[in-house]
């Protein structure tokens, strides 16, 4: 087998392994049961008589508190979060809040689950008003602002990029490697005999 064919065979094998790994990881991740928020306390649309000390979410599976966020704002758009989001039990999150005024409150959340799925939404509750919060169907601009919220590097995507990069470097190195040249046989040394 010539050097060029051997190089092509190795490059094809490496590319096939890389593609198979990506397909396998994608199928495995897509087969995971979709994750979602099951319940929120205080519940959406509730009219509370007393101030809550946290917003708690019960989830269908565990979530990553570092990559997730829950932002609670009053009707003026001021954030009332009081500390960092934390895990609550095996499959829940708890965002401490400091609610000091009567009025309507909005909760914007983006939950990143450990199985790679995510869920997001907005809900409203009121405190001390005796009536359910006004729901116009619009999300106030102040709620959409995710100050200080940024997601880190996705580990799954980063792993695939590293694998792709390694495969690319190996294939390029194999393709650019000079082939071994066989020494020319002088015509005088050939026995025609």
């Amino acid at each position: 087998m010539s050097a060029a064919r051997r190089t092509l065979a190795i490059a094809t094998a490496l590319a096939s392994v890389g593609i198979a790994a990506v397909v396998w990881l994608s199928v495995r991740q897509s087969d995971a049961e979709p994750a979602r928020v099951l319940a929120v306390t205080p519940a959406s649309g509730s009219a509370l008589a007393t101030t809550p000390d946290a917003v708690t979410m019960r989830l269908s599976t565990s979530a990553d508190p570092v990559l997730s966020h829950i932002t609670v704002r009053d009707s003026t758009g001021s954030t009332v979060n009081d500390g960092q989001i934390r895990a609550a039990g095996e499959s829940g999150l708890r965002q401490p809040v400091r609610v000091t005024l009567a009025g309507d409150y909005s909760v914007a959340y983006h939950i990143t689950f450990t199985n790679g799925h995510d869920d997001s939404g907005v809900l409203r509750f009121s405190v001390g008003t005796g009536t359910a919060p006004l729901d116009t169907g619009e999300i106030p601009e102040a709620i959409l602002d995710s100050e200080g919220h940024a997601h880190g590097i996705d580990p799954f995507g980063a792993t695939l990029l590293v694998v792709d990069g390694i495969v690319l470097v190996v294939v390029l190195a194999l393709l650019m490697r000079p082939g071994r040249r066989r020494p020319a046989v002088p015509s005088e040394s050939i026995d025609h005999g």
Side-chain angles (χ1 to χ4, degrees):
M1 178 183 273
S2 72
R5 286 187 179 191
R6 185 176 28 235
T7 301
L8 183 59
I10 291 171
T12 303
L14 287 173
S16 298
V17 168
I19 290 169
V22 169
V23 168
W24 179 78
L25 288 171
S26 297
V27 167
R28 183 177 157 108
Q29 185 171 4
S30 68
D31 285 345
E33 181 179 322
R36 57 191 166 85
V37 175
L38 299 175
V40 180
T41 305
S44 183
S46 61
L48 307 176
T50 59
T51 59
D53 65 347
V55 170
T56 305
M57 296 193 168
R58 189 168 55 90
L59 312 169
S60 62
T61 188
S62 60
D64 186 338
V66 174
L67 297 178
S68 301
H69 74 88
I70 302 171
T71 304
V72 183
R73 297 182 191 257
D74 63 19
S75 58
T76 68
S78 298
T79 303
V80 296
N81 289 19
D82 188 28
Q84 297 296 316
I85 191 172
R86 294 187 183 100
E90 282 190 37
S91 59
L93 292 174
R94 183 178 193 275
Q95 173 61 62
V97 296
R98 181 173 296 173
V99 175
T100 58
L101 302 172
D104 292 346
Y105 290 83
S106 298
V107 179
Y109 62 89
H110 178 224
I111 309 302
T112 302
F113 296 92
T114 55
N115 67 358
H117 294 233
D118 65 342
D119 193 6
S120 60
V122 174
L123 59 98
R124 293 179 176 81
F125 65 90
S126 67
V127 175
T129 64
T131 61
L134 178 62
D135 189 359
T136 62
E138 294 181 18
I139 301 172
E141 192 64 36
I143 296 300
L144 295 174
D145 177 24
S146 58
E147 66 185 36
H149 176 72
H151 291 278
I153 296 172
D154 170 35
F156 177 74
T159 302
L160 291 179
L161 283 174
V162 169
V163 169
D164 288 345
I166 290 170
V167 169
L168 179 63
V169 167
V170 169
V171 168
L172 288 175
L174 290 172
L175 290 174
M176 298 183 107
R177 190 179 83 188
R180 284 188 273 157
R181 298 186 187 242
R182 294 188 178 145
V185 178
S187 59
E188 300 94 42
S189 65
I190 297 177
D191 184 17
H192 295 288

